[in-house]
Amino acid sequence: DNLLTHDWAIYQTPIEWFKETLIEIKKIMEIKLLSGALGAEISGIDLSLALSQAQLDQIYQDLIDHNVIFFRDQNISPQNHIALANSFGEIEPPHPVYPHVEGFPEIVLLENDSNNPPDTDVWHTDVTFKSDPAFTSILYSKIIPPTGGDTLWCSLSAIYESLPNDMKKYLESLRAVHDMGDFRNNFINEDNIESAHKLNEGYKKFGNAVHPVIKKHPITNKKLLYINPGFTSQIVGMNMTDSNNLLSY
């Protein structure tokens, strides 16, 4: 790749060379901002090719800077998908409910149509019922409708910043319980007794987690509101009425 070919000069330190490389990469990888709060579309890169460490580092930095990034018109294999995920860190174990791509348990398979509508059509942050949720998710859309079916994102740090100062201060010391939420429905059938047993097994499988209501991003240190309707069930120490009122504030 000519982009990464540099004549090494004595006056160059590795840091200087690295900075020059990132500058060159930015010239090829174009970034289009999608909103004021978050989101950017990146073009000028083919994710089906072997990516250099400099390219991966730039993708990582763009993710940190813009929270969610999009690559259009990509044609990647499961191996490409996994390689990109590995560049961000260790991949999560297989999902406790959803099926996976055949031969690739690391990749969740989401297939929906009129006969099988999505069960995730609610605001959520992925797997917060775990004490150490995943750093990021990588969604590869292979078949999409011409209209509708949009996946939406929101900025939890922007939500936090928009709160009144008194509310920010009040939330600082609070914690919340996160559980499997709507996934309860996957363990319930027509038999109430059997459903109760399956539901208990489901709780063992998913587990629960307790997270602070206000978290700091591990990289940027920005504060964010860390609750979501999908998995946050109760504010610790509150009765359900007060907890529900606060969670729906």
Side-chain angles (χ1 to χ4, degrees):
D1 191 337
N2 292 333
L3 174 62
L4 299 178
T5 299
H6 286 258
D7 291 326
W8 191 260
I10 294 176
Y11 66 86
Q12 284 184 307
T13 67
I15 292 177
E16 289 171 337
W17 178 85
F18 181 70
K19 287 180 178 178
E20 287 184 8
T21 302
L22 288 183
I23 290 172
E24 291 298 315
I25 292 227
K26 285 186 175 182
K27 291 178 182 178
I28 302 300
M29 291 171 57
E30 296 182 2
I31 299 178
K32 175 186 176 183
L33 302 186
L34 299 178
S35 76
L38 79 168
E41 183 178 310
I42 300 176
S43 58
I45 188 168
D46 185 347
L47 299 179
S48 69
L49 302 178
L51 302 179
S52 69
Q53 189 58 52
Q55 289 173 307
L56 293 171
D57 288 341
Q58 186 58 53
I59 291 172
Y60 175 85
Q61 189 59 52
D62 291 336
L63 177 63
I64 296 300
D65 291 341
H66 306 293
N67 302 147
V68 55
I69 52 180
F70 303 88
F71 302 87
R72 290 189 181 274
D73 302 320
Q74 300 289 326
N75 184 19
I76 64 172
S77 67
Q79 291 89 345
N80 299 141
H81 198 162
I82 291 172
L84 181 60
N86 274 322
S87 74
F88 292 104
E90 184 179 350
I91 297 178
E92 284 276 289
H95 194 277
V97 166
Y98 290 134
H100 60 264
V101 173
E102 185 176 357
F104 301 92
E106 307 96 324
I107 304 177
V108 172
L109 179 63
L110 300 175
E111 292 183 305
N112 300 113
D113 55 27
S114 58
N115 296 318
N116 181 35
D119 60 359
T120 57
D121 193 16
V122 62
W123 286 111
H124 65 279
T125 300
D126 284 346
V127 299
T128 60
F129 49 80
K130 294 185 176 184
S131 293
D132 186 21
F135 168 72
T136 190
S137 300
I138 302 175
L139 176 65
Y140 177 37
S141 299
K142 297 190 70 172
I143 302 175
I144 56 176
T147 59
D150 299 315
T151 300
L152 305 180
W153 283 264
C154 69
S155 169
L156 298 181
S157 58
I159 292 174
Y160 170 80
E161 289 299 333
S162 70
L163 293 173
N165 288 333
D166 287 347
M167 178 59 77
K168 291 178 184 176
K169 185 176 180 180
Y170 174 59
L171 297 177
E172 282 285 351
S173 62
L174 298 183
R175 298 178 297 153
V177 177
H178 296 239
D179 61 27
M180 63 178 169
D182 295 340
F183 284 123
R184 294 183 187 91
N185 295 323
N186 294 78
F187 299 93
I188 296 176
N189 57 29
E190 297 299 323
D191 186 287
N192 291 338
I193 301 299
E194 184 180 349
S195 293
H197 288 309
K198 287 187 174 182
L199 199 55
N200 288 332
E201 289 300 315
Y203 270 107
K204 291 179 182 178
K205 194 173 185 179
F206 275 80
N208 297 275
V210 177
H211 296 290
V213 171
I214 303 299
K215 265 193 171 184
K216 275 189 176 182
H217 192 282
I219 307 300
T220 66
N221 283 324
K222 286 185 177 180
K223 290 186 177 181
L224 53 97
L225 185 66
Y226 201 69
I227 58 173
N228 66 87
F231 300 122
T232 308
S233 59
Q234 185 176 4
I235 302 295
V236 173
M238 289 188 179
N239 61 50
M240 291 305 295
T241 299
D242 291 342
S243 174
N244 290 339
N245 286 338
L246 182 57
L247 289 173
S248 59
Y249 170 80

